[in-house]
Amino acid sequence: MNTAKHKRGVALITAMLITALTGSLAAGLAWNNALDVRRTMVLLFHEQGTQVALGAESWIRNILRDDGIDSQTDHLGELWASELPGLPVDNDSVQGAVSGKIEDLQGRFNVNNLIDRNGKIDPVALEQFKRLLIVLDVNPRFAGLTADWIDADQNAGFPDGAEDSIYTSMMPPYRTFNRSLVNVTELMALEGMDKLSFDRLLPHVTALPGRTSINVNTATPAVLQSLDANMDPIAVEGLLSQREESGFQDIKAIFGTLVTDTAILDQLDGSSEFFQLKAVVQIDTVRLTYYSILLRAPNGGPVTTILRSQGTY
Ligand SMILES: [Ca+2]
Ligand SMILES: [Ca+2]
């Protein structure tokens, strides 16, 4: 009698255990399934966002190409320079928005100008970069450090230089690049560079392939001030009010009286070849930022993408 009761009790407990076990297994499966679906959706949104950004880039390339056909100069009053308002991305499967901003990279100081055509440091560009750093309240020793980072040799400049002997003794050790920068974020690798200095510097510097001219129609106020040792904020204010939104009428005449170094004067221009698109895409909960560097061939030529990056410059 007792044995039969005992057996029934065991069977009941076993049945309850199995029910509990299958219940928790089913809950686990449902949870994993929900996670898988969500993960797949995020990957899909990411892919769709990338396609939207590429579409925006293609659209901007057309705008820049049309501008190259229509005008010989580039200034901040032109269509490309206006911020693109957020456009909806809306079809059956995708809901989101895309916005963008184009910047003329030749309105910034190209750090690759620090090196001349023979791979040696260009003293005129070095002095200009020092002046830019001082205007931005950043330590001017980064000018010499950048030049050493880019120039081909291992001879550290004095007093503001650093080559492999310095960088290989750091933890972790690394070596100087010793060639033209591909991406301006490489400046973060300079000895002593900090986030605050880098953030101040970033809107005013770029890394373009080879030596490039400066477009004074789009140059930042700090870059304008760096053009000559005697340029002060009042002179820059005067220049900004002269150029307004349609650019300078006669660059050589205006800057001829302000810039004494002919090497810098010869570098000043009113048009540009290099632009940067920053596209921000939001698809559902996924937000992506894309940067594209666009090169426009002169005289209404085509516009090509020479560098793309996601998230950072
Ligand atoms: Ca133009
Ligand atoms: Ca070097």
Side-chain angles (χ1 to χ4, degrees):
M1 184 71 179
N2 278 348
T3 316
K5 214 180 203 174
H6 178 73
K7 275 182 182 166
R8 273 205 305 278
V10 169
L12 189 67
I13 289 168
T14 310
M16 281 167 71
L17 266 175
I18 288 170
T19 313
L21 211 60
T22 47
S24 76
L25 267 176
L29 277 173
W31 172 246
N32 283 343
N33 192 39
L35 272 185
D36 280 346
V37 168
R38 189 63 207 160
R39 250 196 301 265
T40 309
M41 276 168 74
V42 167
L43 284 174
L44 205 64
F45 292 148
H46 200 280
E47 182 52 37
Q48 283 164 335
T50 305
Q51 296 305 320
V52 169
L54 290 176
E57 185 198 276
S58 162
W59 180 45
I60 296 305
R61 285 211 306 262
N62 283 335
I63 291 179
L64 283 172
R65 177 153 198 195
D66 288 348
D67 174 83
I69 293 167
D70 294 343
S71 67
Q72 291 297 308
T73 59
D74 297 307
H75 53 78
L76 298 173
E78 291 189 308
L79 179 65
W80 61 264
S82 51
E83 203 153 322
L84 305 172
L87 294 172
V89 176
D90 191 7
N91 62 35
D92 291 343
S93 58
V94 188
Q95 263 82 42
V98 56
S99 61
K101 189 170 186 275
I102 311 177
E103 261 188 76
D104 177 2
L105 290 178
Q106 283 174 258
R108 304 180 181 193
F109 178 84
N110 177 9
V111 288
N112 290 328
N113 277 11
L114 287 169
I115 304 304
D116 68 17
R117 284 180 173 76
N118 302 314
K120 299 281 175 218
I121 295 174
D122 177 340
V124 173
L126 183 65
E127 284 308 309
Q128 190 200 343
F129 194 28
K130 274 186 203 167
R131 290 195 293 272
L132 178 64
L133 293 165
I134 292 167
V135 171
L136 296 171
D137 204 14
V138 174
N139 194 333
R141 67 185 283 270
F142 288 122
L145 289 169
T146 309
D148 266 346
W149 184 264
I150 302 174
D151 77 358
D153 65 44
Q154 281 291 346
N155 311 319
F158 183 80
D160 305 324
E163 293 278 3
D164 278 359
S165 54
I166 301 280
Y167 293 105
T168 52
S169 64
M170 288 164 73
M171 194 51 71
Y174 52 96
R175 300 184 62 191
T176 44
F177 196 46
N178 284 342
R179 64 188 75 178
S180 292
L181 294 194
V182 177
N183 192 305
V184 80
T185 53
E186 290 166 56
L187 294 179
M188 272 303 279
L190 294 179
E191 192 264 313
M193 181 58 84
D194 57 282
K195 180 83 168 64
L196 182 69
S197 301
F198 181 75
D199 286 346
R200 275 191 198 156
L201 195 54
L202 192 57
H204 308 276
V205 291
T206 184
L208 299 173
R211 292 170 69 85
T212 52
S213 57
I214 293 172
N215 184 350
V216 285
N217 288 335
T218 60
T220 68
V223 168
L224 287 176
Q225 198 176 332
S226 75
L227 295 177
D228 194 272
N230 290 319
M231 197 86 89
D232 56 20
I234 296 165
V236 173
E237 279 297 320
L239 285 170
L240 292 179
S241 67
Q242 267 191 79
R243 92 174 174 193
E244 287 182 323
E245 287 231 310
S246 55
F248 295 104
Q249 292 302 315
D250 189 342
I251 290 169
K252 286 279 177 273
I254 292 164
F255 286 86
T257 59
L258 294 166
V259 179
T260 46
D261 199 319
T262 49
I264 288 190
L265 204 52
D266 289 344
Q267 247 185 57
L268 306 183
D269 206 343
S271 64
S272 297
E273 292 171 81
F274 293 95
F275 299 84
Q276 177 184 263
L277 165 68
K278 177 187 179 186
V280 179
V281 186
Q282 176 98 34
I283 302 287
D284 199 86
T285 52
V286 176
R287 190 183 170 86
L288 305 159
T289 307
Y290 284 89
Y291 293 92
S292 309
I293 296 185
L294 308 168
L295 168 61
R296 183 176 65 188
N299 306 316
V303 180
T304 44
T305 306
I306 57 167
L307 189 77
R308 279 194 195 113
S309 57
Q310 193 198 322
T312 57
Y313 267 53

